[in-house]
């Protein structure tokens, strides 16, 4: 429709210009020639706006890509900061200090687990995803620190269904989920029980909620994790927040299928 308008007004403009220029009407283009000439003029008239539109779309696309890349860098920085959080090290050193006097054997085990955790964090700091098996091994060490530090306040179990080889999750995802349990639930009169369950397609963390919520965290860890999944996979994080339980499921990434 827009092209027909351009065709019509191009014809009117040409005729007026021809008439006002005192041209010889005997040389006025024949109908067929006039028709193709107007198509050419109309096409030329639309070429520039169309080029502008394409340019606009191109730069909008580039802007979106830059925005995503910036978000990814911010996420990586947040992840790295959370992994080497000085409060995390300080708290664990305090726990270790008390263990040295009360239980020297457990203190040695604590040092060993803590060193394994930091070795893993350093080795994986540039990785987008990690093998599920490695992340679970990391989680087992991380859970040991939590349960040793807080005593009987938190209890974790891990269940695995089927083979977990050739399966991946975003690096540090399980750490973020464990931190979420501790940060949002301040144990008081009951134990915070957490079940980590691995199925074929999902890793689910299901924990009871305390009566006294810990407002230390604003949930940025989960938001960060959701954003990372948007960049890595077409699957989304599933969150169910009930009165007595909090359940979060993250998709397991199978690189053989992604490729």
């Amino acid at each position: 429709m827009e092209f027909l308008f351009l065709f019509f007004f191009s014809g009117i403009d040409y005729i007026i210009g021809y008439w006002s220029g005192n041209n010889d009407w005997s040389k006025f283009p024949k109908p067929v020639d006039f028709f193709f000439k107007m198509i050419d003029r109309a096409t030329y008239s639309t070429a520039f706006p169309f080029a502008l539109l394409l340019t606009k779309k191109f730069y909008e696309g580039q802007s979106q890509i830059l925005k995503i890349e910036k978000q990814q860098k911010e996420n990586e920085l947040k992840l790295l900061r959370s992994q080497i959080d000085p409060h995390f090290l300080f708290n664990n050193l305090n726990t270790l200090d008390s263990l040295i006097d009360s239980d020297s054997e457990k203190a040695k085990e604590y040092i060993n687990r803590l060193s394994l955790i930091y070795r893993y964090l350093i080795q994986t700091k540039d990785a987008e995803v990690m093998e599920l098996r490695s992340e679970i091994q990391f989680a087992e060490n991380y859970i040991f620190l939590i349960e040793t530090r807080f005593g009987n306040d938190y209890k974790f179990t891990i269940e695995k269904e089927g083979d977990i080889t050739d399966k991946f999750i975003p690096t540090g995802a399980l750490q973020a989920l464990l931190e979420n349990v501790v940060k949002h639930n301040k144990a008081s009169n009951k134990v915070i029980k957490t079940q980590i369950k691995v199925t074929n397609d999902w890793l689910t963390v299901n924990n009871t909620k305390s009566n006294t919520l810990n407002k230390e965290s604003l949930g940025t860890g989960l938001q960060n994790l959701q954003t990372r999944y948007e960049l890595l996979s077409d699957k989304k994080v599933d969150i169910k927040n009930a009165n007595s339980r909090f359940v979060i499921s993250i998709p397991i990434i199978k690189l053989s299928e992604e490729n």
Side-chain angles (χ1 to χ4, degrees):
M1 183 62 71
E2 290 82 0
F3 184 81
L4 291 177
F5 277 116
L6 284 172
F7 179 86
F8 176 77
F9 285 110
S10 293
I12 297 297
D13 179 68
Y14 183 83
I15 293 172
I16 293 175
Y18 198 90
W19 173 74
S20 61
N22 295 320
N23 292 295
D24 185 359
W25 285 95
S26 63
K27 297 180 180 179
F28 188 81
K30 294 180 180 180
V32 175
D33 294 333
F34 178 79
F35 177 79
F36 285 109
K37 182 180 283 290
M38 291 310 101
I39 289 179
D40 183 65
R41 287 170 65 92
T43 302
Y44 180 79
S45 298
T46 58
F48 182 67
F50 185 68
L52 285 179
L53 179 62
L54 287 179
T55 303
K56 179 175 178 290
K57 291 294 184 183
F58 172 77
Y59 281 107
E60 286 177 350
Q62 291 296 108
S63 177
Q64 184 66 18
I65 291 173
L66 291 174
K67 182 179 178 181
I68 292 174
E69 290 178 348
K70 180 181 178 182
Q71 181 67 54
Q72 176 69 1
K73 292 299 180 183
E74 290 176 353
N75 290 337
E76 291 172 356
L77 182 58
K78 288 178 183 177
L79 177 64
L80 183 58
R81 284 174 176 170
S82 70
Q83 290 174 342
I84 58 175
D85 188 345
H87 292 291
F88 171 75
L89 181 59
F90 178 76
N91 290 331
N92 282 290
L93 288 177
N94 277 343
T95 303
L96 183 60
D97 182 57
S98 64
L99 282 176
I100 290 174
D101 295 329
S102 61
D103 191 337
S104 60
E105 287 302 316
K106 197 165 188 178
K108 292 178 182 178
E109 178 66 14
Y110 200 90
I111 292 173
N112 179 54
R113 301 280 188 131
L114 189 59
S115 65
L116 289 174
I117 284 175
Y118 270 95
R119 184 180 298 120
Y120 182 79
L121 294 177
I122 293 171
Q123 290 173 345
T124 63
K125 66 182 179 65
D126 296 322
E128 289 288 345
V129 296
M130 280 300 297
E131 288 181 308
L132 181 57
R133 185 185 304 277
S134 298
E135 283 285 302
I136 289 177
Q137 289 174 348
F138 167 84
E140 290 171 343
N141 291 325
Y142 198 80
I143 287 170
F144 178 86
L145 299 190
I146 295 174
E147 293 183 339
T148 302
R149 177 186 170 194
F150 293 101
N152 296 322
D153 289 346
Y154 300 91
K155 182 65 177 177
F156 296 85
T157 58
I158 299 177
E159 296 181 12
K160 292 170 280 187
E161 293 182 359
D163 188 12
I164 62 172
T165 59
D166 196 31
K167 293 180 180 179
F168 299 79
I169 59 174
T171 306
L174 198 42
Q175 177 192 357
L177 297 181
L178 295 175
E179 287 178 345
N180 186 69
V181 173
V182 177
K183 288 182 178 180
H184 283 277
N185 298 280
K186 186 177 181 180
S188 52
N189 298 325
K190 63 177 183 179
V191 179
I192 305 300
K193 297 180 180 180
T194 303
Q195 178 197 57
I196 301 165
K197 187 172 183 178
V198 180
T199 59
N200 187 49
D201 298 311
W202 296 88
L203 184 150
T204 300
V205 175
N206 183 339
N207 66 272
T208 57
K209 295 166 67 174
S210 64
N211 297 326
T212 305
L213 294 180
N214 189 345
K215 297 182 179 179
E216 176 186 347
S217 172
L218 298 177
T220 54
L222 295 187
Q223 293 174 3
N224 177 34
L225 185 58
Q226 288 175 312
T227 302
R228 293 180 69 198
Y229 262 101
E230 290 175 4
L231 300 173
L232 292 172
S233 173
D234 58 352
K235 299 177 182 178
K236 296 182 179 181
V237 174
D238 181 64
I239 299 176
K240 294 182 177 65
N241 191 1
N243 291 331
S244 60
R245 307 194 72 86
F246 186 86
V247 183
I248 179 167
S249 299
I250 61 173
I252 292 174
I253 300 171
K254 302 174 184 177
L255 296 187
S256 57
E257 294 181 2
E258 296 292 325
N259 295 333

